[in-house]
Amino acid sequence: MESLSGIIPSNVMVEILACLPARSLIRFRCVSKSWRSLLSEPFFVTMWLNRSGTSLLVVPLEWENRDQCSLVFENVSIGMKNLNLPVGDKWISVSVIGSSRDGSLICLTGLSYTRRRASKQAIILWSPFTGEVKALGNKGCVHCHRWPVCTESLIQGYNSACCNQYLVHGFGYELNARDYKVVRITYSRGVVREDDSPIRPWLVEVYSLRSDTWKSLGRPSFTWTVRGNSRAFVNGSAHWLAAPTADAPYNSIVAFDMKEEAFGEVIELPRLENLLQFSLNPRGKATLSVSHGSLALIAFGIWNREECGIWVMKEYGVVESWTKQHHIVLPIGSTVRAALGLTGRGKMLLRMVDEKLMCCDVEDMQISEVGIQGRGAESSFDVIDLGGGDPTLRNQAGLDSLLTILNHK
């Protein structure tokens, strides 16, 4: 920076650097101490995030493209590019758990084949900017007499009624410790292997990236049934929709506090009278998301999947603060299979029955294609919003720097 200051004014240099991709900025940190200091300054990070546009990581879950994903920028002038997932040939399926807010660290879960009717599941920490990969294995195997029919359900963290266990994950950032953490909940039938035996929460474990260790929290005291990887990291906690039993509708939200490494009090859903026309059955694909830093609930109509409601919890943990933010009626014929979440720019990502990925503006209800489509009835998508376009968002882990992951080295 000093050697160039006589040629290019400092303010112009900062403007130029703020337009560069993250991969280049990581290299430029090695130029000098002054450049390293500049590229770590909060004002520069904010400027860079504003310029880069909000990006979405899209992972198609299908056999032929299990190592492919796309990075889509909501700033249409940037467009879309393809990335290779760091999974190799041994993984039969992958799913996203979450990411740092800047996209410098992405957490995936992968399912690998081991032997007939058995598979192993691992957590993959991946920095797409540096190419660094860290795989966190899981002890034991998942046994299923219908494998690989239930592969999609296993990788997305719910039981298809044929397996002896399934795993649920959450990912988040503990600000005080400057530490990324992964929580893993194992649901199991225990030593009883009969298909009709109940499946219960069996073990809770937490991984710390800073210490590179797993900690067992033992068998949990709760009996809630939660499904899927956490879609909402808010207020320092990962959140899941919960049901009292495996076959019951969702009736609450459970949260795991990354700092305390414990489950907090159950969070109530909006009052029942406000949800009468909407389905909270797990098959109805209700999901949690984040809207401008607040917890959000997305639910579809009981009889009409073209109708959707979005509620936002204005004051965290206060049931009275649930507010119905949007009531969306999609165009006739827009048959939705599931909502994948909300983006930082007020759009809802939808997976359609024809396996197209669609984007719906929640304000004007305009729906458009993202440009990505599955290749068969068994394909599906996982999507995470990297939130790069709005520095006021606090819905993803890693609030302080786009280079947080490197600071752990």
Side-chain angles (χ1 to χ4, degrees), residues 316-350:
Y316 183 79
V318 179
V319 65
E320 291 78 13
S321 70
W322 278 112
T323 303
K324 191 175 183 181
Q325 197 88 351
H326 302 282
H327 188 113
I328 299 170
V329 179
L330 299 171
I332 295 175
S334 303
T335 310
V336 179
R337 187 184 295 273
L340 299 174
L342 301 169
T343 77
R345 296 195 172 187
K347 297 179 182 179
M348 179 169 57
L349 273 295
L350 301 170

Side-chain angles (χ1 to χ4, degrees), residues 202-266:
W202 200 257
L203 179 65
V204 178
E205 301 164 283
V206 179
Y207 172 80
S208 162
L209 177 60
R210 194 172 187 84
S211 64
D212 192 23
T213 58
W214 280 99
K215 179 194 296 184
S216 173
L217 302 182
R219 187 170 181 176
S221 57
F222 64 79
T223 58
W224 312 306
T225 297
V226 300
R227 301 172 176 86
N229 298 319
S230 172
R231 296 287 184 182
F233 183 76
V234 180
N235 202 44
S237 299
H239 297 75
W240 298 264
L241 283 169
T245 63
D247 299 323
Y250 297 125
N251 68 348
S252 57
I253 298 171
V254 298
F256 184 86
D257 189 298
M258 292 295 179
K259 179 180 179 181
E260 301 297 331
E261 297 187 346
F263 286 92
E265 294 185 6
V266 173

Side-chain angles (χ1 to χ4, degrees), residues 94-405:
V94 293
S95 177
V96 295
I97 300 175
S99 78
S100 64
R101 179 178 174 269
D102 49 44
S104 63
L105 182 64
I106 295 172
C107 185
L108 306 163
T109 179
L111 196 68
S112 64
Y113 175 78
T114 55
R115 59 182 183 275
R116 179 176 170 81
R117 296 180 180 178
S119 56
K120 279 192 174 183
Q121 195 162 357
I123 295 167
I124 304 165
L125 298 177
W126 170 41
S127 175
F129 301 143
T130 66
E132 187 178 6
V133 176
K134 187 175 184 65
L136 315 175
N138 179 42
K139 298 177 181 178
C141 295
V142 177
H143 298 270
C144 178
H145 62 268
R146 295 180 64 230
W147 192 97
V149 175
C150 63
T151 298
E152 182 180 331
S153 66
L154 283 175
I155 196 63
Q156 296 191 66
Y158 63 91
N159 180 250
S160 55
C162 59
C163 302
N164 67 304
Q165 75 174 45
Y166 70 99
L167 304 175
V168 175
H169 300 90
F171 177 75
Y173 184 70
E174 212 266 271
L175 183 60
N176 291 337
R178 297 173 60 84
D179 191 13
Y180 290 98
K181 293 183 179 180
V182 181
V183 58
R184 178 170 62 200
I185 311 170
T186 300
Y187 277 79
S188 175
R189 301 187 194 278
V191 295
V192 180
R193 302 293 180 176
E194 288 79 8
D195 290 344
D196 58 352
S197 61
I199 194 162
R200 298 188 178 94
W202 200 257
L203 179 65
V204 178
E205 301 164 283
V206 179
Y207 172 80
S208 162
L209 177 60
R210 194 172 187 84
S211 64
D212 192 23
T213 58
W214 280 99
K215 179 194 296 184
S216 173
L217 302 182
R219 187 170 181 176
S221 57
F222 64 79
T223 58
W224 312 306
T225 297
V226 300
R227 301 172 176 86
N229 298 319
S230 172
R231 296 287 184 182
F233 183 76
V234 180
N235 202 44
S237 299
H239 297 75
W240 298 264
L241 283 169
T245 63
D247 299 323
Y250 297 125
N251 68 348
S252 57
I253 298 171
V254 298
F256 184 86
D257 189 298
M258 292 295 179
K259 179 180 179 181
E260 301 297 331
E261 297 187 346
F263 286 92
E265 294 185 6
V266 173
I267 300 174
E268 296 183 41
L269 292 174
R271 300 299 185 191
L272 184 59
E273 57 267 23
N274 297 324
L275 291 169
L276 288 178
Q277 69 189 88
F278 296 92
S279 174
L280 291 179
N281 187 297
R283 295 184 181 275
K285 300 301 183 182
T287 187
L288 293 178
S289 188
V290 179
S291 176
H292 299 287
S294 297
L295 193 62
L297 169 69
I298 304 173
F300 289 89
I302 295 176
W303 307 111
N304 183 4
R305 293 299 295 276
E306 296 165 353
E307 185 177 13
C308 173
I310 302 176
W311 290 260
V312 175
M313 180 173 263
K314 298 291 187 178
E315 186 177 351
Y316 183 79
V318 179
V319 65
E320 291 78 13
S321 70
W322 278 112
T323 303
K324 191 175 183 181
Q325 197 88 351
H326 302 282
H327 188 113
I328 299 170
V329 179
L330 299 171
I332 295 175
S334 303
T335 310
V336 179
R337 187 184 295 273
L340 299 174
L342 301 169
T343 77
R345 296 195 172 187
K347 297 179 182 179
M348 179 169 57
L349 273 295
L350 301 170
R351 172 193 171 195
M352 314 304 285
V353 293
D354 61 0
E355 295 307 324
K356 289 183 179 179
L357 192 64
M358 309 293 287
C359 186
C360 174
D361 191 304
V362 299
E363 295 292 343
D364 59 22
M365 302 187 197
Q366 293 296 311
I367 188 169
S368 58
E369 294 187 19
V370 174
I372 301 173
Q373 177 164 355
R375 297 186 179 180
E378 298 303 319
S379 66
S380 65
F381 295 102
D382 251 344
V383 176
I384 50 176
D385 178 13
L386 300 183
D390 186 349
T392 65
L393 290 179
R394 293 297 181 263
N395 61 317
Q396 297 289 349
L399 314 180
D400 49 357
S401 170
L402 77 158
L403 302 170
T404 302
I405 184 174

